[in-house]
Amino acid sequence: MELSRFSLGVRLKLNTAEPTKSEIISAVKKVLRPLHAEDTDGTGLYISRSKLLPIDGDDILTVIFTRGGLKQMRRLYSVLRQDPMLLCSLVTSRPYIQTNALSRLDDAEYLGEFGSDGMLKGGDLAVQLPEKRKYSRSEGGKLRIVLAPDKFKGSLTAEEAIAAIAEAARRILPGSTIHPLPMADGGDGTADIIVRTFGGVKYACTVTGPLGEPVAAEYGMVGGNTAVIEMAAASGLALINEKDRDIMRASSFGTGELVLDALSRGAKHIVLCLGGSATNDGGMGAAAALGVRFFDAEGNILLGCGADTERVVRIDTELVCEKLKNADIKLFCDVSNPMTGEKGAANTFAPQKGAGENELRVLESGMKNLEKLFNSFAGRDIGSVPGSGAAGGIAAMFIALFGAEIVSGADTMLRINEFDKLLKKTDLVITGEGCFDKTGMGNGKAVDAVISHARKQRVPVVVIAGSSEAEADTDSCEVICLIEEGMTKQYAMEHASELLERKAEELFVRIGKNGGSYCKKQGNIL
């Protein structure tokens, strides 16, 4: 492969490590679908199955555009990374416009060169791209739409939800501009979105699961020194069968092991996403993995689990990992619960993790015990910090012992994606999640953050959810549910993509009949 000074590598994740030739060609065509002749004029096209990074699996395909200038490559990738259908397949939504990295792909296969007419010539792949793109202003049915859903838990990732909605928009409102913005608020899936959006890499390691069993867990690294770690990956409720849940034994030790692994790879900034935990150990397990020692009244060292929280009388940090002492730690959190009390860690979240009445009493007592110790260690009131009760109190531990800061995961995602700036050129925002209920309004969830930011700029919002248990604020958004009368939740989850596409299609038909004019109104879109 002869690379020009500036070449563009687009990396896709295939469905299998042993794809057929037709599956590879299908993946290439997925990359080419949003492009026009003006994007690719004069560029050569190659594909490679070689590993660009040591951590790459065998299921990655790199599509390479070369013989173009930097300006052309940037414009080309700008088009690609905003295609909602392609977004689901990208390993990263950041380009590799760098010859030194792409030159390592020594098995590249030549597919041809694009002419000014969009025809790919000189190779075995017969493709002709459409001619010059027709630009249109936002009028009539041609709208500027931002798709910013969270995951539909158990059914669709945020990217898959975007793809379904975008497909309906492409059919019903052709010419509209679709801007994909997959959302997360600190729950499972957050690391994937951040890694893909900002061109990071993922690392895998075996750690201790919530009940002591070994589990394979992944985390992301962005910018070479920022680790994005999901507590759910190592200490998540989804890792335990419902019949095996044991809140008193569950430990966050594996989460601490992920942090250690990230530090060993040069991480100086830790982003810890707290959603989906199986634990209520006040972060003792994670702290123990990081070198903190917890002693009981007899001087015994406690490894840390729900049952140990009552027994701690002293905390020692002398053996803490040195690299951690200088690390900056941010906690992505979507709740504001304190450590103790009626809305504290145990009383609010432990029942969801299998705790009965007797266990709740022990866990609440343990949280009160740790709260006093954390307050004494930090010299300030840690337990009442909003969000300190998140993930079984692990947030309080990281704040007290390591100076961590709680931030809104959803608001941070919107800020780093310049959502407020994007809204100034947006006619409609569509968001969504699996269940839109009262906990989603005013409590830091991704969908709520999207609604709140759009409301401030008076941009209409539609929420498409699997189900809804809350009355929508009709001054700011319309709520559409996938589950209809007589439909089971199981059916809706199994057919979520087609149901979402159908509901989006109905919405866009309604918009089309109104000529899109409702998007210029202030307030209710109906």
Side-chain angles (χ1 to χ4, degrees):
M1 176 175 63
E2 297 180 6
L3 293 174
S4 61
R5 182 181 178 190
F6 296 108
S7 298
L8 171 67
V10 184
R11 305 173 71 222
L12 296 95
K13 197 170 185 66
L14 301 170
N15 294 326
T16 174
E18 298 181 358
T20 63
K21 184 71 173 180
S22 62
E23 288 172 330
I24 291 176
I25 295 303
S26 177
V28 174
K29 288 182 177 180
K30 184 183 291 187
V31 173
L32 299 179
R33 188 174 72 162
L35 299 177
H36 290 68
E38 60 181 328
D39 301 316
T40 59
D41 186 12
T43 62
L45 186 67
Y46 291 81
I47 57 172
S48 173
R49 297 289 311 287
S50 289
K51 295 184 178 183
L52 189 61
L53 300 173
I55 60 170
D56 282 349
D58 295 326
D59 57 350
I60 293 177
L61 174 72
T62 304
V63 179
I64 304 139
F65 297 86
T66 188
R67 303 176 196 160
L70 178 59
K71 185 176 180 180
Q72 182 183 21
M73 291 301 175
R74 283 179 170 169
R75 185 178 69 243
L76 192 159
Y77 199 82
S78 177
V79 175
L80 290 176
R81 70 176 300 207
Q82 292 186 51
D83 181 70
M85 303 299 289
L86 181 59
L87 184 66
C88 297
S89 302
L90 292 178
V91 175
T92 169
S93 61
R94 286 297 172 97
Y96 283 83
I97 308 179
Q98 44 185 332
T99 301
N100 60 342
L102 295 175
S103 62
R104 296 200 297 268
L105 303 177
D106 53 10
D107 72 335
E109 178 183 347
Y110 178 62
L111 296 185
E113 180 175 333
F114 286 102
S116 59
D117 59 355
M119 180 72 75
L120 186 63
K121 305 172 183 177
D124 296 331
L125 182 60
V127 171
Q128 181 165 17
L129 303 181
E131 294 184 5
K132 188 173 182 180
R133 183 178 290 105
K134 296 179 180 179
Y135 295 92
S136 58
R137 300 183 62 183
S138 176
E139 56 185 18
K142 299 180 179 66
L143 306 174
R144 296 164 298 192
I145 304 172
V146 172
L147 303 182
D150 196 354
K151 64 183 176 298
F152 284 60
K153 195 166 186 177
S155 300
L156 301 170
T157 65
E159 291 95 340
E160 288 168 341
I162 286 173
I165 300 170
E167 187 61 30
R170 186 175 280 117
R171 288 198 309 271
I172 308 302
L173 298 176
S176 294
T177 300
I178 306 296
H179 189 103
L181 186 63
M183 282 296 298
D185 50 27
D188 49 315
T190 302
D192 280 343
I193 290 175
I194 292 177
V195 166
R196 188 177 292 113
T197 302
F198 296 99
V201 296
K202 296 189 76 173
Y203 294 100
C205 57
T206 300
V207 298
T208 306
L211 295 182
E213 74 291 354
V215 298
E218 292 184 332
Y219 65 90
M221 190 80 80
V222 178
N225 63 5
T226 299
V228 186
I229 297 171
E230 292 180 7
M231 189 175 177
S235 312
L237 191 61
L239 298 175
I240 309 175
N241 293 326
E242 188 170 353
K243 63 181 179 62
D244 296 327
R245 290 177 185 175
D246 189 342
I247 190 69
M248 305 307 287
R249 284 200 305 122
S251 169
S252 59
F253 195 89
T255 297
E257 290 178 308
L258 284 182
V259 173
L260 278 180
D261 193 81
L263 292 171
S264 73
R265 297 182 189 274
K268 299 183 184 303
H269 307 276
I270 304 291
V271 175
L272 184 59
C273 306
L274 300 184
S277 72
T279 59
N280 203 110
D281 66 349
M284 287 179 63
L290 295 167
V292 178
R293 293 183 294 176
F294 296 90
F295 295 93
D296 65 11
E298 286 74 42
N300 300 311
I301 295 177
L302 303 170
L303 292 180
C305 60
D308 287 343
T309 55
E310 274 192 317
R311 301 168 56 198
V312 186
V313 297
R314 184 166 69 88
I315 301 173
D316 179 71
T317 59
E318 185 179 350
L319 301 180
V320 165
C321 170
E322 285 296 322
K323 292 180 179 180
L324 185 62
K325 295 178 181 179
N326 298 318
D328 169 62
I329 304 174
K330 294 288 191 298
L331 307 175
F332 270 24
C333 177
D334 64 359
V335 300
S336 57
N337 303 72
M339 193 173 180
T340 61
E342 184 181 352
K343 296 183 178 180
N347 288 317
T348 303
F349 303 112
Q352 306 167 15
K353 305 172 185 179
E357 289 186 14
N358 291 334
E359 292 165 322
L360 279 179
R361 283 193 290 270
V362 174
L363 292 172
E364 176 64 10
S365 174
M367 289 297 101
K368 289 180 178 178
N369 179 45
L370 285 177
E371 182 177 37
K372 291 177 183 178
L373 291 168
F374 290 159
N375 289 349
S376 176
F377 188 94
R380 64 188 181 100
D381 185 1
I382 298 296
S384 63
V385 172
S388 60
I394 196 173
M397 182 278 291
F398 272 106
I399 296 169
L401 305 188
F402 303 116
E405 177 188 2
I406 289 181
V407 298
S408 165
D411 282 332
T412 302
M413 292 291 288
L414 292 176
R415 177 177 56 79
I416 60 182
N417 281 288
E418 299 184 312
F419 184 61
D420 289 338
K421 181 179 179 180
L422 181 62
L423 285 174
K424 297 181 186 300
K425 299 179 179 180
T426 297
D427 298 305
L428 174 66
V429 174
I430 299 178
T431 185
E433 61 184 338
C435 180
F436 182 66
D437 58 25
K438 61 183 179 181
T439 65
M441 296 299 290
N443 207 12
K445 298 283 187 179
V447 171
D448 181 41
V450 170
I451 293 172
S452 177
H453 282 247
R455 176 188 292 162
K456 290 176 183 177
Q457 297 199 39
R458 304 185 72 81
V459 177
V461 182
V462 174
V463 178
I464 306 181
S467 62
S468 176
E469 299 175 4
E471 292 185 8
D473 178 354
T474 53
D475 287 334
S476 60
C477 67
E478 174 189 359
V479 179
I480 299 172
C481 293
L482 302 188
I483 297 180
E484 299 175 342
E485 187 175 351
M487 184 185 296
T488 66
K489 181 180 178 181
Q490 183 65 27
Y491 178 89
M493 293 182 69
E494 291 174 355
H495 298 82
S497 182
E498 60 190 79
L499 290 173
L500 181 57
E501 187 174 331
R502 190 179 77 197
K503 289 294 184 180
E505 183 175 299
E506 292 171 357
L507 170 67
F508 295 139
V509 167
R510 184 152 43 97
I511 290 173
K513 288 180 178 178
N514 293 329
S517 60
Y518 77 89
C519 287
K520 297 172 181 148
K521 296 179 181 178
Q522 305 295 326
N524 192 350
I525 68 169
L526 297 178

